[in-house]
Amino acid sequence: MAKGREPRSSFDPLCKGPTPMRIGCPTEIKAREYRVGLTPESAGELIHAGHQVFIQSGAGLGIGADDEQYRKAGATIVADAAAVFEAAEMVIKVKEPQMGEIAMLRRDQTLFTYLHLAPDPEQTQALMASGATAIAYETVTDRHGLLPLLRPMSEVAGRMSVQVGAHLLEKTQGGRGILLGGVPGVRAASVVILGGGVAGYNAAQIAVGMRARVTVFDKRLEPLEQLDREFEGRLQTVYSTRAAVAEALADADLVIGAVLVPGAAAPKVVTREMIKTMNPGSVMVDIAIDQGGCFETSRPTSHDAPTYEVDGVIHYCVTNMPGAVARTSTFALNNVTLPFAMAMANKGVHAALSADPHLAAGLNVAGGHVAHEAVARDLGMPLRRPEWLKG
C-alpha cells in the first residue's frame, strides 16, 4: 500500500485505545547486531494483553530464541522485514533504523527504538520525511531525571569497555603488552575513566575488580563523592578540567570515554594534542560513540573492524558494543522497555505520551518535525512539539 496511507480502519493506533494494536519486531540488520526488540516472553505479555505481535522469521536466533518459541507465545511469524512493517502499527527495534527500514515506515506508524539522532542529520531527515512518530529509548526519562531505557545498555557497555580494553592492551593485539592488574612487583595498568555516570561507574567496578589503578573524572561532584564512598579509596576521583585530563592521559594505558549529555551530541573531552602525548600501544574505548564520541579522533567502527590507530594509540569505537553479548543485553533491555511498549499498546500512542511526561521525553520526531529540544539544537533544526501532546 502507498506510503502515507490512512489507517486501515476507523481506529487510529496513534490516538486511541484500548483497541488491540498490531506490533512488529524485525530482525536487526546493523553489522553484527544480534539483539532483538522483543523476547518471546515480552511478545507473550503483549499478546496476553490482547494485542497482535508479528515477528520476522529468525529475529531471535541471536539470543537463542527460535521461531517456535515465539509461536508458542502466540506471535505470528512473517517472512521478512517488509511483512513486519506492512502489518505493524508500532515497530519495536533495538538499533537505529537503517535507510532501507526507514523507507518502509508510514505516517500512521510508531517506531520505538534507540535513535541517537543528535550526531546523525541524515537519519533525522529521513525519519522526518517518513511522517512516522519516532520515540527514542535513550531520551525517555524517569522521575529522577535519569534515563531508565539507556541504563541497562550503559551498564553492559561500561563493563565491556574494560574487558575489551584489557584484551587490546595485549601485545598480540597491538597494545603495550600490559596486564591490567599487574602482578606482585610490577605496577598495574593506569585506567582513566571520563564520566562518572552509569557507564563510568560500571567500568570502574570492573577495572577496580581487576586491580588496575583507576582514576575517574567528572564535572559533577555528586557522582565523584558516591564513587569515593563506595570504593573506599580503591580509586581516585578528580574534577574534570582540560589540564587535569591532559595530565592523566600522558600516563594512561587505557582510557574509557563515558561522557553523556542526554539527547545531545557528546562533548569532545579529549583532543588530538592530548592523544599525541600518550604512550604508543595505549588503548581508548569510546562508549559515547553513539552520540558522536567524546574523543576528537573518534569515528564509528563495527564489530567486523572494531579498531584503528591514531598517533600509535588504539581506538575502539564500536557503535553497538552490547550487541556482542546479545542475550544478556536483550533481556536487560526488554525488562525496561516492555512497560512503556505496553502502555502505548493499551492506551494508544498519543494518549500514552500525553499521560506520561517521562515517555514523552522520548519523542524525537513526529509529524515530519523534530520534537526533542536537544536534538533540534544540536542539528540546527526547528523544534516543533505536536499539537496533540498534552502537558
Side-chain angles (χ1 to χ4, degrees):
M1 292 190 181
K3 191 180 184 75
R5 67 183 179 183
E6 293 299 321
R8 304 176 191 211
S9 70
S10 58
F11 165 63
D12 183 346
L14 295 174
C15 301
K16 299 178 182 178
T19 304
M21 182 180 283
R22 300 187 301 275
I23 301 162
C25 178
T27 302
E28 296 293 324
I29 59 174
K30 189 162 186 170
R32 300 282 182 168
E33 182 52 74
Y34 303 108
R35 290 173 288 180
V36 62
L38 289 173
T39 64
E41 293 81 1
S42 293
E45 289 296 302
L46 290 163
I47 291 162
H48 181 73
H51 307 291
Q52 292 179 277
V53 175
F54 299 85
I55 304 289
Q56 182 177 347
S57 181
L61 292 178
I63 65 164
D66 59 23
D67 291 350
E68 187 57 28
Q69 290 175 259
Y70 285 101
R71 286 193 186 96
K72 286 181 179 178
T76 299
I77 305 300
V78 297
D80 51 29
V84 171
F85 281 82
E86 171 66 18
E89 296 160 343
M90 177 164 64
V91 176
I92 297 178
K93 282 178 39 63
V94 178
K95 286 304 292 177
E96 71 279 359
Q98 306 302 292
M99 286 301 163
E101 294 173 311
I102 295 177
M104 293 186 281
L105 283 171
R106 308 184 304 268
R107 68 179 183 84
D108 62 306
Q109 283 180 314
T110 295
L111 175 66
F112 191 35
T113 189
Y114 286 117
L115 291 174
H116 301 291
L117 296 183
D120 193 347
E122 183 181 8
Q123 184 197 169
T124 305
Q125 293 281 8
L127 285 173
M128 290 165 61
S130 76
T133 298
I135 301 168
Y137 294 158
E138 73 274 7
T139 62
V140 173
T141 60
D142 64 17
R143 60 190 179 89
H144 303 294
L146 302 176
L147 307 172
L149 306 194
L150 187 61
R151 184 181 185 91
M153 296 305 96
S154 295
E155 291 171 342
V156 170
R159 296 183 181 206
M160 277 190 68
S161 67
V162 180
Q163 178 177 308
V164 166
H167 179 59
L168 293 175
L169 279 171
E170 296 172 11
K171 195 67 178 176
T172 54
Q173 303 301 313
R176 297 191 68 199
I178 292 177
L179 181 66
L180 210 64
V183 293
V186 181
R187 192 169 70 163
S190 170
V191 177
V192 171
I193 301 172
L194 304 174
V198 175
Y201 175 87
N202 279 270
Q205 277 191 316
I206 303 304
V208 169
M210 293 178 74
R211 299 190 175 187
R213 294 180 292 125
V214 180
T215 305
V216 181
F217 287 82
D218 205 297
K219 286 187 175 294
R220 302 162 298 158
L221 289 178
E222 184 178 356
L224 296 180
E225 291 168 352
Q226 181 183 358
L227 286 161
D228 184 65
R229 286 193 304 270
E230 293 196 20
F231 287 92
E232 299 180 331
R234 289 177 293 158
L235 55 69
Q236 299 294 313
T237 60
V238 180
Y239 184 82
S240 184
T241 64
R242 287 174 59 87
V245 170
E247 181 180 1
L249 260 60
D251 182 54
D253 299 301
L254 171 60
V255 181
I256 296 170
V259 180
L260 173 68
V261 179
K268 302 299 183 186
V269 177
V270 176
T271 66
R272 177 73 179 268
E273 292 304 310
M274 293 178 189
I275 291 170
K276 289 179 179 178
T277 70
M278 295 176 65
N279 290 310
S282 300
V283 175
M284 304 182 75
V285 177
D286 197 342
I287 299 174
I289 191 63
D290 277 325
Q291 294 295 116
C294 61
F295 308 146
E296 188 177 23
T297 47
S298 291
R299 56 177 172 81
T301 62
S302 69
H303 287 293
D304 287 330
T307 64
Y308 60 93
E309 286 190 20
V310 176
D311 297 323
V313 176
I314 300 170
H315 289 55
Y316 179 98
C317 303
V318 174
T319 55
N320 59 330
M321 286 179 66
V325 287
R327 186 172 175 85
T328 297
S329 299
T330 294
F331 280 94
L333 181 60
N334 271 240
N335 288 344
V336 292
T337 57
L338 179 60
F340 292 99
M342 186 71 76
M344 289 188 284
N346 288 344
K347 298 176 182 178
V349 175
H350 288 184
L353 288 167
S354 294
D356 185 351
H358 303 301
L359 177 58
L363 185 63
N364 277 215
V365 174
H369 302 279
V370 174
H372 191 280
E373 183 177 359
V375 173
R377 181 186 65 241
D378 281 8
L379 293 178
M381 295 180 177
L383 171 68
R384 183 171 171 181
R385 300 284 276 177
E387 294 179 0
W388 50 259
L389 186 62
K390 302 173 183 177

